[in-house]
Structures are given as structure tokens and as C-alpha cells.
Amino acid sequence: MKVNTIQNFKESNKNPEILFWVGCAGSFDERYKKVTKAFIKILNKLKVNYAVLGKEEGCTGDPARRAGNEYLFQMQALSNISKLNLYNIKKIVTTCPHCFNTLKNEYPELGGNYDVIHHTEFLNELLNKGKITTTKTNQKITYHDSCYLGRGNKIYEAPRSIINSISNNLIEMKRNKEKGLCCGAGGAQIFKESENGTAEINIERIKEVEKSNAETVISACPFCLTMINDGIKGEEIDSKIQVKDIAELLEENLND
């Protein structure tokens, strides 16, 4: 699978149309690497002019800031901004709502001003332009709203539009969109031990997934994918409910 780095472009004195910000999960998490590959397959198939930073990409600093380490956040952010500005990057697409939110809404105050797009918006735009066509499936699908994508940035319709282009059986869970239930991972909680309480949040969400009678639950966030996947396995229902990122769903159902 061919992936061009920004260095490849600069050596030929060219600029990519977009920079694909892979993110920590997309680079290192074994499960989410599959999402990265699915998204890259779509980009390659559509001959999108893109590049990645490769080894020069660092963590956006989102977990550090959420955990209260502002100094570390600013160190990471300023390092990334210096690289992005050095390469004259204008447009960034990322599969992670946490990276998306940080790059779009928090980097400008430190001198990082970019057109930042989440992959659900990017892919939906290609669908609307007719550059992507999909096959249809009857599979029952439900969608989990990421907090940083949904309530944080009001992106609700793009992922649903993509799902509706593939399946006529999108089933909404009781808590969705503005009232969607957090997966339990945001705010650096994914890196902490559970606190005292009566239930794990991701297990509560899995109960809603079950009630929907969906065969597949779709997310658009690496943290959500991890928490839902863990919940599905913990409840031992992984034999009847699949967990996928929206890029995987789309890549599997692309027309040749």
C-alpha cells in the first residue's frame, strides 16, 4: 500500500491537496491501524492528492491537556505547529475527533491556523459530489455519536448520510445526537482506572446497542471504537454484533 509522506512531495517541489493526520491510535493501536488502512485505500482508489507527516507527526497533546498537563500540551502543540507551518500545510483531514477538535479549535491560539476536516465530513462531501458510489446492504446498523464530533463540534448528519448511502436500515439508539451517551473514554479517562460507581459507561452503551437489534455498530472515533469493542466482548455478544469505523464500512461497500 503506497503512502506518500510530506517529504516525498517537498523533494519534488509539490504540495499535497490535503495532509492526512493519522493520530496516535491510527499509528500504534493494532485495531485502529485497520481503520487507517481502510481510509488510505479509499484515498488511493479515488486518487486523492494527500500526504502524511510520517515519523514527524507527534501527538496533538489532547490527552495531556484533558489530564491537566497544560505545559506538556503546549510543548506538543508548538512542535506540531512548527512542522505544519514549515511545510505550509493548509488543509488537514483526520479520522480522530480528538485530533480534529484540538487541531481545529485549540491550535489557532498558538499560531496553528488550518482548514481541519473530520473524515466523516470529507467522505460525505465526496459522496455528494458523486466521486464515491456505494453498494447497498440490508444489514441493520446503528451509529454511536462521539462526544467530540457530536456535541463538541455539531457533526451529526455527515456520518449518518454515509451510512444511509449504504444501508436502508439505520436504527437510532435511544440516546443519540445531542443526547448521545459518552463511551467513557474522553477527557483522558481512557488512561485511568475506573472510579467508584454502579456501572461502566461503555457497558451501559452496549445495552442500548443490544436494544437496537443492530447487527453492526458504527463509530467515527478511535476511543469510541475501543470502548464499544471492549464492551461488546465483555458482554460476550461479539459473535452477533460487529464494531466498525465508518471508513471501514465505506471501504467494504465501495463500487468498483
Side-chain angles (χ1 to χ4, degrees):
M1 186 184 301
K2 184 179 180 182
V3 180
N4 285 322
T5 64
I6 192 69
Q7 295 86 351
N8 297 146
F9 276 86
K10 290 305 175 183
E11 286 169 5
S12 57
N13 294 316
K14 295 179 181 178
N15 289 316
E17 178 188 343
I18 64 168
L19 178 82
F20 170 31
W21 187 276
V22 181
C24 298
S27 299
F28 301 111
D29 181 80
E30 289 303 319
R31 174 63 185 89
Y32 212 70
K33 284 180 187 178
K34 295 178 182 179
V35 177
T36 300
K37 290 177 181 177
F39 186 56
I40 285 174
K41 284 179 182 178
I42 296 171
L43 296 179
N44 286 345
K45 185 167 185 175
L46 299 178
K47 295 181 171 57
V48 175
N49 185 20
Y50 75 97
V52 299
L53 281 174
K55 292 181 179 180
E56 290 192 80
E57 182 187 294
C59 177
T60 60
D62 166 78
R65 176 169 262 192
R66 307 306 159 221
N69 194 333
E70 181 65 17
Y71 177 68
L72 179 56
F73 163 73
Q74 293 203 19
M75 283 181 61
Q76 292 177 309
L78 289 170
S79 175
N80 287 324
I81 289 168
S82 67
K83 291 187 183 76
L84 292 169
N85 290 349
L86 175 67
Y87 290 123
N88 197 31
I89 297 299
K90 303 296 183 186
K91 188 174 183 178
I92 300 172
V93 175
T94 181
T95 57
C96 176
H98 295 257
C99 295
F100 168 74
N101 181 71
T102 304
L103 292 165
K104 180 181 179 67
N105 299 322
E106 299 180 350
Y107 272 29
E109 65 183 356
L110 297 172
N113 295 284
Y114 318 105
D115 179 12
V116 187
I117 304 169
H118 188 258
H119 76 310
T120 54
E121 291 185 299
F122 180 74
L123 293 171
N124 190 50
E125 183 180 338
L126 293 175
L127 270 168
N128 290 336
K129 289 180 177 178
K131 294 183 178 181
I132 291 178
T133 57
T134 61
T135 56
K136 279 286 187 178
T137 173
N138 290 320
Q139 112 184 238
K140 296 176 182 177
I141 296 173
T142 193
Y143 174 70
H144 168 79
D145 287 284
S146 156
C147 295
Y148 276 80
L149 196 62
R151 285 190 296 271
N153 287 282
K154 310 302 180 189
I155 298 174
Y156 298 111
E157 299 310 319
R160 287 173 170 82
S161 177
I162 294 170
I163 294 170
N164 283 326
S165 76
I166 296 167
S167 173
N168 293 320
N169 289 314
L170 172 59
I171 306 164
E172 294 286 2
M173 285 182 270
K174 181 178 180 180
R175 286 181 277 194
N176 64 77
K177 297 186 179 179
E178 292 89 348
K179 295 182 180 179
L181 181 65
C182 175
C183 73
Q189 296 296 309
I190 196 170
F191 303 110
K192 292 173 55 205
E193 293 297 325
S194 298
E195 297 175 16
N196 292 331
T198 58
E200 295 283 357
I201 295 178
N202 64 327
I203 299 301
E204 286 295 295
R205 192 55 161 164
I206 296 314
K207 290 177 182 177
E208 294 186 3
V209 173
E210 277 196 281
K211 286 179 181 178
S212 75
N213 291 316
E215 301 163 275
T216 303
V217 55
I218 297 296
S219 80
C221 170
F223 288 176
C224 295
L225 188 75
T226 297
M227 298 297 283
I228 293 171
N229 207 35
D230 286 353
I232 293 282
K233 289 180 178 178
E235 293 296 286
E236 298 182 344
I237 54 174
D238 49 315
S239 61
K240 65 176 184 178
I241 301 176
Q242 298 183 74
V243 186
K244 296 179 182 179
D245 184 89
I246 201 158
E248 294 177 305
L249 178 72
L250 184 59
E251 193 272 325
E252 291 169 0
N253 291 279
L254 277 180
N255 268 329
D256 293 331

